[in-house]
Amino acid sequence: MSEPTANLYYDGSCPMCSAEMKHLAKHKTDQLCLLDIHQAELPPGKTTEDLLTVLHYKAPDGRWLTGLDATLAVWSNTLLGKALTVLRWPVIKPVADSAYNLWARKRYARLYGKAHD
């Protein structure tokens, strides 16, 4: 019996996102599906704009993680992921999350020409 699958929804039109996914594809397990938002079927309750604003990860148990939490979830089983756990330390987490959210808003505005709340 195979393990449940996790899905990571990413923006395939974003050069930086695509580069990260290409690198991640070399290190991921078969239980992680990398899904380009522009080519994948949208999950129930999510819009294209929802998925484009920040990275979305659906865990095998159905939980959704977004932003930096999604990034850390998919990299957690790699050597890089072990080093990234520092980003969840209580004193660093708010700064890391703020930096990611700022980057995500600017990336979205640059690629799609509009701001998103």
Side-chain angles (χ1 to χ4, degrees):
M1 183 173 194
S2 66
E3 294 181 37
T5 301
N7 294 317
L8 181 67
Y9 294 86
Y10 72 96
D11 184 356
S13 295
C14 171
M16 185 174 172
C17 303
S18 294
E20 182 181 359
M21 293 307 114
K22 185 176 179 180
H23 185 68
L24 179 59
K26 296 175 188 175
H27 301 281
K28 73 176 193 69
T29 67
D30 290 340
Q31 283 69 47
L32 175 62
C33 293
L34 303 176
L35 302 168
D36 180 347
I37 297 159
H38 302 287
Q39 298 176 6
E41 183 176 324
L42 296 180
K46 300 288 183 184
T47 66
T48 301
E49 189 171 7
D50 291 337
L51 296 173
L52 288 174
T53 56
V54 295
L55 198 62
H56 280 68
Y57 169 77
K58 187 171 184 187
D61 65 5
R63 289 178 303 122
W64 282 96
L65 298 175
T66 59
L68 199 50
D69 288 329
T71 298
L72 296 172
V74 298
W75 285 101
S76 66
N77 294 314
T78 69
L79 292 176
L80 179 60
K82 307 295 185 224
L84 291 174
T85 59
V86 68
L87 297 175
R88 297 332 290 147
W89 291 358
V91 72
I92 296 174
K93 184 181 185 308
V95 175
D97 287 343
S98 291
Y100 174 88
N101 291 333
L102 176 64
W103 173 82
R105 282 192 306 273
K106 288 184 179 284
R107 182 203 70 84
Y108 182 81
R110 180 178 48 83
L111 289 173
Y112 298 100
K114 55 186 174 182
H116 186 271
D117 297 325

